């Protein structure tokens, strides 16, 4: 079977996505697939292929910083052109299966999934509606709260020249808050904020990208993540931080965090987290043919709050989903095969 892997893209997670794509390519080749690796935002979109079983692939590395805003604009123009006509679109339409490893941006907000659905091509991961539901953190948390998944109080704010909204001022006055883009991944531009003056600096950064902020109380407790693959909930992973927040630099800097799987918690607490992850997966429309990863952080009393649900979690060697899969006894190629088997649309 020939599989087209989509990776790279135009989002701040571009480097992570490229690394995921090369890792997936190696696993698929090991399982006997023929692989074409495509970055639709690159000047030369076909990175490698067709690679046949037994081929050796060179991996990509994750940079210390995400692409700049100006670089992302150029990447976005290329990606839009590639996915709205021409040889890349023809390649996708002719694929037997597409493995979507486009973290963030069009790859995770439902755009690419909608295109593949219209083309009738089977692809990995959630469909366009579920991706769109999960991508906007504010709207997703509203859905999760209604479904009985605990979430923190939050305020959405599009920074402008006017006064800081009263709801945001109230949260900052009550204690430290976390301010982050409402629609970005890999914990890009996540800030702990202790004052309104500090918040103004974060707001200026967001304004330059014409973005919207989600502001919520800083939760001082332990941090966990739980993945769901099809109908199976994987073991709980604990993220032990040496930094105040689990941001982009912490995720991809060696030694910044310690990730433990299975988490060292009582069985009842682990089961509670797994049930919440399953409920979040279903509430946002992820079916038995999809996979997701729900992130949790505990408040001062130890109660877990769901921060977000990732529709296309990372698949690099340092990513959390492969770690959880290993905790379930799966090798990395086993995990990729299972994701491929779910792609039945």
């Amino acid at each position: 079977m020939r599989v087209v892997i989509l990776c790279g893209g135009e989002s701040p997670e571009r480097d992570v996505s490229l690394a995921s794509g090369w890792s997936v390519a190696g696993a698929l080749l090991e399982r006997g697939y023929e692989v074409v690796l495509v970055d639709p935002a690159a000047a030369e979109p076909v990175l490698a292929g067709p690679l046949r079983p037994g081929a050796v692939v060179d991996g990509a590395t994750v940079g210390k910083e995400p692409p700049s805003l100006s670089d992302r604009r150029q990447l976005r123009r290329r990606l839009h052109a590639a996915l709205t006509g021409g040889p890349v679109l023809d390649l996708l339409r002719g694929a037997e299966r597409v493995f979507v490893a486009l973290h963030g941006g069009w790859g995770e907000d439902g755009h690419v999934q909608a295109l593949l659905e219209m083309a009738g091509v089977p692809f990995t991961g959630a469909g366009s509606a579920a991706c769109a539901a999960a991508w906007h953190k504010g709207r997703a948390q509203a859905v999760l709260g209604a479904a009985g998944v605990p979430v923190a109080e939050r305020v959405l704010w599009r920074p402008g020249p006017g006064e800081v909204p009263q709801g945001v001022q109230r949260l900052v006055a009550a204690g430290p808050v976390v301010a982050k883009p409402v629609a970005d991944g890999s914990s890009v531009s996540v800030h702990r904020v202790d004052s309104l003056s500090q918040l103004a600096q974060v707001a200026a950064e967001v304004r330059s990208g014409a973005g919207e902020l989600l502001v919520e109380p800083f939760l001082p407790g332990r941090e966990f993540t739980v993945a769901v693959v099809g109908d199976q909930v994987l073991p709980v992973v604990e993220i032990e931080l040496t930094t105040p927040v689990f941001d982009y630099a912490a995720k991809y800097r060696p030694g910044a965090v310690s990730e433990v799987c299975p988490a060292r918690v009582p069985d009842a607490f682990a089961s509670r987290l797994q049930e919440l992850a399953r409920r979040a997966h279903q509430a946002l429309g992820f079916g038995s043919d999809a996979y997701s990863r729900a992130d949790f952080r505990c408040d001062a009393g130890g109660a877990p709050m769901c921060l977000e649900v990732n529709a296309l979690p990372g698949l690099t060697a340092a990513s959390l989903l492969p770690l959880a899969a290993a905790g379930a006894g799966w090798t990395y190629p086993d995990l990729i095969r299972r994701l491929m088997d779910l792609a039945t649309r």
Side-chain angles (χ1 to χ4, degrees), residues 225-242:
T225 190
V226 185
V228 180
V229 176
D231 293 321
Q232 185 164 350
V233 184
L234 301 188
V236 177
V237 178
E238 179 168 12
I239 302 158
E240 297 178 345
L241 300 174
T242 59

Side-chain angles (χ1 to χ4, degrees), residues 200-211:
Q201 299 173 4
V202 175
E205 174 187 318
V206 172
R207 273 200 302 273
S208 68

Side-chain angles (χ1 to χ4, degrees), residues 134-198:
W135 180 239
H136 189 285
K137 295 181 180 69
R139 290 195 290 268
Q141 286 186 328
V143 172
L144 296 177
V149 178
V151 294
E153 182 184 2
R154 67 207 171 277
V155 176
L156 299 181
W157 175 37
R158 187 176 294 278
E163 186 177 347
V164 177
Q166 289 295 322
V168 175
Q169 293 187 41
R170 178 176 52 79
L171 284 181
V172 175
V177 300
V178 172
K180 56 189 175 185
V182 78
D184 257 337
S186 236
S187 301
V188 172
S189 298
V190 174
H191 300 272
R192 172 176 162 155
V193 174
D194 296 284
S195 66
L196 286 175
S197 60
Q198 190 180 358

Side-chain angles (χ1 to χ4, degrees), residues 68-327:
S68 67
L69 186 60
S70 60
D71 286 344
R72 287 175 58 195
R73 286 172 177 153
Q74 182 180 31
L75 291 164
R76 189 175 298 120
R77 286 193 292 270
R78 289 177 182 164
L79 179 137
H80 290 182
L83 293 179
T84 52
V88 170
L89 189 56
D90 291 340
L91 186 62
L92 294 176
R93 286 171 172 159
E96 293 177 79
R97 196 154 297 178
V98 173
F99 196 108
V100 183
L102 277 172
H103 311 312
W106 264 36
E108 199 163 352
D109 68 5
H111 276 88
V112 166
Q113 289 77 11
L115 183 152
L116 294 171
E117 286 164 355
M118 288 187 291
V121 179
F123 59 93
T124 58
S128 59
C131 286
W135 180 239
H136 189 285
K137 295 181 180 69
R139 290 195 290 268
Q141 286 186 328
V143 172
L144 296 177
V149 178
V151 294
E153 182 184 2
R154 67 207 171 277
V155 176
L156 299 181
W157 175 37
R158 187 176 294 278
E163 186 177 347
V164 177
Q166 289 295 322
V168 175
Q169 293 187 41
R170 178 176 52 79
L171 284 181
V172 175
V177 300
V178 172
K180 56 189 175 185
V182 78
D184 257 337
S186 236
S187 301
V188 172
S189 298
V190 174
H191 300 272
R192 172 176 162 155
V193 174
D194 296 284
S195 66
L196 286 175
S197 60
Q198 190 180 358
L199 183 63
Q201 299 173 4
V202 175
E205 174 187 318
V206 172
R207 273 200 302 273
S208 68
E212 187 178 15
L213 276 178
L214 184 146
V215 183
E216 59 191 3
F218 173 76
L219 301 173
R222 298 165 73 179
E223 188 152 342
F224 303 94
T225 190
V226 185
V228 180
V229 176
D231 293 321
Q232 185 164 350
V233 184
L234 301 188
V236 177
V237 178
E238 179 168 12
I239 302 158
E240 297 178 345
L241 300 174
T242 59
T243 57
V245 293
F246 192 34
D247 59 8
Y248 183 95
K251 280 189 174 183
Y252 302 107
R253 185 176 68 241
V257 297
S258 175
E259 296 157 349
V260 181
C261 183
R264 294 184 287 262
V265 294
D267 290 346
F269 185 77
S271 296
R272 166 70 171 159
L273 287 174
Q274 288 175 311
E275 174 55 31
L276 291 176
R278 184 193 301 277
R279 189 180 302 175
H281 181 92
Q282 295 171 344
L284 290 170
F286 292 81
S288 59
D289 58 351
Y291 63 102
S292 69
R293 200 196 75 227
D295 297 336
F296 299 89
R297 188 150 177 157
C298 296
D299 64 14
M305 302 287 174
C306 187
L307 303 177
E308 64 177 306
V309 177
N310 302 273
L312 285 179
L315 290 168
T316 72
S319 294
L320 293 163
L321 175 54
L323 176 62

